[in-house]
Amino acid sequence: MSFSPCPPDALAGNCIQQQRDRWEMKRSRAARELVQSEQRYCQQLELVTTYFVEILKAKGTLRQDIRESIFSSIKAIHSVNQPLLVHLENGYIGRGFDQFCPQLHHYNVFVDNIYDAQKVLWTQLKKNKAFRRFKKLQEGRPEFNNRKLEDLLQLPIERIDQYKRLLQEMTANTNPDNPEFQQLSRAVAAVEELHQRIQNNTRRHENHLQLCRVQKLLKGRKTKVLAAGRWYIREGWLKVVPSKGADAKPKMFFLFSDMLLQAKRCGALHPTHSDKFAGQHAYPLRECAVEKVFGHTKGKGGLLSLTFPKAKLLLMSSNQEDFNDWYQSLSSAVRKLQPKSTVVLQREDLNQETRNLPSSSNASRKRNMINTNMVNDQPGELAQGPAIEWDSSAPKRMKQSTAEHSSEASTSSCVIL
């Protein structure tokens, strides 16, 4: 009896069919989880709307503006999710999300207000005894399964993360020829945009908390840390090496996206500020140059040189990991403040480039560099200045531009606090 193997075409056809079956199985599993989780989600939204929003409105325990600040657009979210649930239960997932995604602005309102809602809720729990009793009574209902109101207000945020995961899984396992593929792809893009909005809000909130924490660490009101567009990066102790032969003194440094703040600890015997710091210098990073003096090898720490228009700092750390992190953080912060089109060459790279050029072309190369800087549309000093007109008034305009440049340089020097 002879053995007859299957033809190669048949084996290939079986493998393709098996792969399609696996895709369909993953798609069906994601669709089933999407429907079941949507049912639970809508039930929880209905409970919050009924036992908190509507009853609070009827009882008048909270003013309307306070109630709207806490619950925001959660009632509207419940309304737009009801039709989505009907479509999902009937198997029209793509069509359901096609009609649901244009209503995501209700979620935008909710996620933008979530941190203010938490603050207002905390304030009311502290000041309003009637609301505090009402909240505890409602949370004790068996329908809520011991979940607090603070957790229930996170339901829409958590649901967006679930939408993102399940829709991505369904799209990845849907044939591009399927009519639902385009609908699911549009839904994934809309949900990912909202998910990114949530993450950005979270980062801004955490950054605001860090700025507030640092502000509270500094005594007095002279040093202002809270500023629009400022981001907290890191903090830590570094030794300041003086230019003359004195001993290096440890100082606390706070690094922000636009400033390096040097501070010293208040006296341990101070009656009210023993655990705080006094700001000494604020160094703007826009025109800062960061360089490793030593610490290039795997030794114990290193020395950093920070050069500002009218100041210079030598900072030392005996911890190699901490030293490297400070160098990377400072370099990154300075790089982000500089014009994106500016190319910074290391000294050895510049020397190598100069050696590779013919000697006769060095002069023309320098002229070309000057002309290029004046013509290119760069956000640098020359590009920002007014156009120079070569007429009788040209010297006056050039002098005025130089004076403006000098004033900008003086404002970017360190501030003694």
Side-chain angles (χ1 to χ4, degrees), residues 383-405:
Q384 292 177 351
I388 300 176
E389 300 179 7
W390 298 103
D391 55 10
S392 58
S393 62
K396 184 177 181 181
R397 284 195 174 95
M398 292 178 65
K399 184 176 181 180
Q400 180 180 359
S401 177
T402 305
E404 292 175 357
H405 175 71

Side-chain angles (χ1 to χ4, degrees), residues 22-67:
R22 284 194 291 268
W23 287 340
E24 184 60 32
M25 182 180 63
K26 291 180 180 179
R27 172 187 163 84
S28 300
R29 183 175 58 197
R32 185 169 57 251
E33 183 180 352
L34 184 61
V35 174
Q36 293 174 353
S37 58
E38 185 70 17
Q39 291 171 342
R40 293 192 298 269
Y41 175 58
C42 287
Q43 289 174 359
Q44 292 171 327
L45 287 180
E46 185 175 3
L47 290 173
V48 175
T49 303
T50 302
Y51 289 109
F52 280 99
V53 181
E54 295 296 340
I55 295 181
L56 279 172
K57 181 179 179 181
K59 290 172 65 68
T61 307
L62 295 177
R63 295 201 319 262
Q64 180 180 352
D65 58 333
I66 296 177
R67 190 175 66 251

Side-chain angles (χ1 to χ4, degrees), residues 5 60 104 125 138 189 217 226 256 271 277 285-286 393 399 416:
L104 284 177
L125 290 175
Q138 299 301 84
L217 283 176
L226 290 168
F256 305 96
F277 295 89
L285 298 179
R286 184 168 295 277
S393 62
K399 184 176 181 180
I416 300 177

Side-chain angles (χ1 to χ4, degrees), residues 139-148 151:
E139 289 173 346
R141 290 179 177 272
E143 296 91 340
F144 289 111
N145 197 22
N146 295 324
R147 296 194 70 177
K148 303 294 183 182
D151 300 328

Side-chain angles (χ1 to χ4, degrees), residues 239-249 303 312-315:
K239 289 185 177 180
V240 178
V241 180
S243 56
K244 299 180 180 180
D247 295 335
K249 296 181 179 180
L303 183 67
K312 186 171 182 177
L313 269 179
L314 290 176
L315 304 178

Side-chain angles (χ1 to χ4, degrees), residues 343-360:
V343 179
V344 181
L345 293 176
Q346 298 291 337
R347 182 177 297 176
E348 52 270 18
D349 296 337
L350 186 60
N351 293 338
Q352 181 67 27
E353 183 179 341
T354 307
R355 285 196 298 269
N356 292 338
L357 291 174
S359 59
S360 60

